[in-house]
């Protein structure tokens, strides 16, 4: 059964070393993510499942200890999903034969957040979901995750639209702001029905990477009776970032 969830954005820019001189621009988002992970810890789950967008090669599942890195973003920084030690080790210090890039970027960001907050509360596993996955299949994935008596928490990674401004990655689309506003409302209110019926086609056109993970969350939360809290909602780079908790 699902006992808690945290929703966080997944831009690699959350990692200060990647953002470099612009790191302070996401300080509020990082603080909100830290608070969200605190809600997960307070729920005392038996297992934490991290869900985020991924292409076919990164869908997993990814067991605890799976490695990832940010070298594709110009930073010699490695992560390990759910490991208590060695998360920020230099790639040069690693066993070169290890698979250093098994985690997709979204789950690598999640792994960085978990290490940053010192997560040791429960075993961790990761699951990447593809952007084209149909809503009904996403919902079923969530139901499967939450099935049984085990206390499960979810860390759900994903961004809203990438079309909020002229300089956004997807350029300006007038549909983006209303779409993001409804997403933020639904995530903040733990509105399962609204998330399950998000328009997958519109989400794709607006480059909203979080649609499938959010619908996995919705499936997992069916009947759980969780309430939501919105901690952060902004679009500093023309991309919608939302942080919310369900408990």
């Amino acid at each position: 059964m699902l006992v808690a969830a945290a929703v966080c954005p997944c831009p690699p820019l959350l990692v200060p070393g990647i953002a470099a001189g612009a790191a302070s621009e996401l300080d509020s988002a990082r603080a909100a993510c830290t608070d969200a992970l605190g809600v997960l810890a307070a729920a005392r789950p038996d297992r934490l499942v991290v869900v985020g967008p991924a292409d076919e090669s990164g869908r997993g599942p990814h067991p605890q200890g799976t490695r990832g890195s940010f070298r594709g973003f110009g930073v010699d920084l490695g992560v390990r999903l759910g490991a208590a030690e060695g998360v920020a080790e230099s790639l040069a210090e690693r066993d070169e034969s290890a698979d250093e890039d098994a985690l997709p970027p979204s789950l690598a960001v999640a792994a960085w957040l978990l290490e940053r907050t010192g997560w040791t509360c429960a075993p961790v596993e990761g699951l990447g979901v593809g952007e084209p996955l149909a809503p009904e299949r996403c919902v079923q994935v969530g139901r499967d995750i939450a099935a049984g008596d085990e206390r499960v928490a979810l860390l759900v990674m994903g961004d809203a639209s990438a079309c909020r401004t002229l300089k956004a990655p997807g350029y300006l689309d007038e549909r983006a702001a209303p779409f993001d506003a409804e997403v933020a409302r639904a995530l903040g209110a733990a509105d399962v029905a609204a998330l399950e019926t998000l328009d997958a086609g519109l989400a794709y056109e607006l480059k909203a990477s979080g649609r499938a993970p959010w619908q996995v969350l919705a499936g997992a939360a069916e009947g759980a009776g969780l309430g939501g809290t919105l901690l952060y909602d902004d679009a500093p780079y023309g991309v919608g970032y939302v942080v919310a908790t369900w408990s």
Side-chain angles (χ1 to χ4, degrees):
M1 60 180 177
L2 185 70
V3 296
V7 177
C8 294
C10 58
L13 287 173
L14 275 179
V15 180
I18 295 175
S24 62
E25 296 176 8
L26 289 179
D27 280 349
S28 295
R30 292 186 196 96
C33 290
T34 297
D35 291 344
L37 291 181
V39 171
L40 295 185
R44 306 178 82 173
D46 298 320
R47 177 169 58 109
L48 174 64
V49 181
V50 183
V51 180
D55 60 23
E56 187 171 356
S57 65
R59 292 177 190 173
H62 302 284
Q64 178 159 317
T66 302
R67 297 179 186 269
S69 81
F70 294 104
R71 63 181 174 187
F73 301 94
V75 175
D76 183 25
L77 177 67
V79 293
R80 194 195 307 254
L81 187 65
E85 298 178 0
V87 173
E89 64 191 1
S90 167
L91 294 180
E93 298 171 352
R94 292 220 193 135
D95 175 2
E96 292 182 359
S97 65
D99 183 0
E100 296 167 339
D101 297 306
L103 291 177
S106 66
L107 299 190
V109 172
W112 180 83
L113 288 171
L114 289 168
E115 189 277 335
R116 183 173 182 262
T117 56
W119 179 268
T120 58
C121 304
V124 182
E125 60 189 75
L127 179 66
V129 291
E131 185 175 48
L133 194 64
E136 58 271 20
R137 292 190 61 192
C138 293
V139 169
Q140 187 58 53
V141 170
R143 291 170 180 159
D144 293 343
I145 289 173
D149 296 330
E150 187 180 35
R151 294 172 59 82
V152 178
L154 281 179
L155 173 54
V156 183
M157 309 299 291
D159 301 336
S161 76
C163 304
R164 291 280 290 273
T165 65
L166 292 173
K167 294 184 178 180
Y171 197 67
L172 177 65
D173 190 314
E174 294 182 354
R175 301 171 297 173
F179 176 87
D180 287 358
E182 172 57 15
V183 164
R185 185 207 64 77
L187 291 173
D191 189 336
V192 169
L195 292 173
E196 289 184 346
T197 55
L198 281 176
D199 187 330
L202 178 59
Y204 176 79
E205 291 174 8
L206 296 177
K207 304 184 184 301
S209 69
R211 189 275 305 172
W214 300 330
Q215 290 182 322
V216 171
L217 166 61
E222 288 180 343
L226 302 181
T229 301
L230 184 65
L231 302 181
Y232 180 88
D233 175 22
D234 202 357
Y237 304 113
V239 181
Y241 299 148
V242 177
V243 181
T245 57
W246 293 20
S247 61

